[in-house]
Amino acid sequence: MSEGRVTVSSIEKIYQSENERTKAIDDLSFESEGGEFLSVVGPSGCGKSTLLYLIAGFLEPSSGTIAVDGNEIHGPGTDRGVVFQDYALFPWRTVMDNVTYGLEEQNIPKDERQETAQRFIDMMGLDGFEDKYPKELSGGMKQRVALARTLAYDPQILLMDEPFGALDQPLRESLQDHLLDIWRELGKTIIFITHDVEEAVYLSEKVMIMTQHPGTKKAVLDIDIDRTGTREEIITSDEYAEQKNRVWRLLHEETQPEVQV
């Protein structure tokens, strides 16, 4: 079995303030196998991002456990890397210095970390931009820097929180295809949060649909489509339409307001 298996067991997350107790996630269990691409969709406010931050170790579950390869997690670790929608780059650091940041934290020697960073800068099509600062880059380039920075320290698991949500459609599609190429080359486990059903079906081997607040698992669907063709061939195929409609119907059940009789 590949490394990078994520096991979520009966987790609950409650946010407690002085006057309010809010349950964000309720009794949620699922498993993502090592090397698998799993997307998570659900209504707004269902706890998708909370789930990602729990797996990242930024938050602790109120109850239940999260394990990576059978080992329960209790905080962030270099086995998990997070890519955010807002890039989270350091504005005072160049592209090269942003990408080497995680390697510096691991005390990797300078020559080795620059060599490693260059590999991922090249992989993301950023060759020639090493000395540029984030303010000099487009949104798509910033997101590629953020992904290169995460990949450089070699986490087994990529946790992605709507990373392409702020980008226009052509750029979004380009980065989706780039991400698929990277996933196939590197064999990472990817857990990908999105509100876009088409994106989830195009990218993923499995899609988990979450319920309305408080969020829990409604269903996990295997996405069985032929991915050997071009993007156009895939998204115009009958099997793609069928899988997209399956996900949409289950999600629509959660987003439709109840009718009072």
Side-chain angles (χ1 to χ4, degrees):
M1 185 177 293
S2 300
E3 292 182 353
R5 185 175 81 258
V6 177
T7 306
V8 174
S9 302
S10 302
I11 62 166
E12 179 180 74
K13 181 59 183 176
I14 296 169
Y15 292 106
Q16 184 76 52
S17 64
E18 187 175 340
N19 301 313
E20 191 174 7
R21 184 176 184 271
T22 303
K23 184 182 286 188
I25 293 178
D26 182 35
D27 193 25
L28 173 59
S29 299
F30 70 94
E31 184 165 277
S32 182
E33 294 294 342
E36 186 172 78
F37 199 130
L38 169 74
S39 284
V40 180
V41 299
S44 295
C46 74
K48 299 186 296 294
S49 291
T50 294
L51 171 63
L52 202 80
Y53 299 156
L54 287 164
I55 298 171
F58 299 155
L59 299 173
E60 283 275 349
S62 303
S63 63
T65 61
I66 300 171
V68 172
D69 295 326
N71 300 309
E72 188 175 342
I73 65 166
H74 296 285
T78 55
D79 55 348
R80 286 153 284 143
V82 185
V83 180
F84 302 96
Q85 181 176 334
D86 62 357
Y87 322 127
L89 300 176
F90 299 118
W92 61 90
R93 297 178 72 122
T94 64
V95 168
M96 174 61 76
D97 290 342
N98 265 285
V99 177
T100 58
Y101 175 74
L103 301 171
E104 290 174 26
E105 293 294 297
Q106 294 178 314
N107 296 315
I108 304 296
K110 183 177 180 179
D111 288 349
E112 184 179 342
R113 66 179 183 248
Q114 290 203 314
E115 182 180 340
T116 300
Q118 191 66 55
R119 175 190 169 205
F120 289 101
I121 287 170
D122 293 348
M123 180 183 290
M124 299 306 300
L126 294 164
D127 184 31
F129 292 87
E130 292 87 349
D131 296 327
K132 299 293 185 182
Y133 288 88
K135 67 181 180 181
E136 301 176 273
L137 305 176
S138 67
M141 293 176 76
K142 289 176 186 176
Q143 193 56 285
R144 281 185 278 162
V145 175
L147 186 52
R149 180 181 60 185
T150 302
L151 291 170
Y153 65 84
D154 197 28
Q156 272 297 319
I157 299 159
L158 285 180
L159 304 170
M160 308 188 76
D161 190 14
E162 299 199 43
F164 309 142
L167 305 176
D168 62 39
Q169 190 66 19
L171 185 54
R172 185 185 183 104
E173 291 178 359
S174 173
L175 287 179
Q176 287 169 355
D177 289 333
H178 205 56
L179 178 61
L180 284 174
D181 289 340
I182 290 167
W183 171 61
R184 291 173 183 133
E185 179 178 346
L186 300 179
K188 306 290 185 186
T189 303
I190 298 180
I191 298 179
F192 188 98
I193 304 296
T194 181
H195 64 273
D196 187 327
V197 170
E198 293 186 2
E199 179 172 65
V201 173
Y202 182 74
L203 290 174
S204 314
E205 293 180 296
K206 291 182 179 177
V207 174
M208 181 169 75
I209 300 99
M210 291 182 67
T211 64
Q212 273 283 14
H213 175 86
T216 192
K217 179 180 70 180
K218 181 179 181 72
V220 177
L221 302 182
D222 291 316
I223 305 300
D224 184 19
I225 58 177
D226 180 2
R227 300 178 188 275
T228 58
T230 64
R231 169 183 280 270
E232 182 177 359
E233 289 168 341
I234 292 170
I235 65 174
T236 58
S237 68
D238 291 341
E239 58 185 2
Y240 175 82
E242 179 184 343
Q243 300 291 341
K244 184 178 67 174
N245 290 339
R246 288 172 69 211
V247 176
W248 183 87
R249 282 193 294 269
L250 288 168
L251 181 59
H252 193 62
E253 290 173 3
E254 295 300 315
T255 55
Q256 279 291 91
E258 293 185 10
V259 178
Q260 300 295 325
V261 178

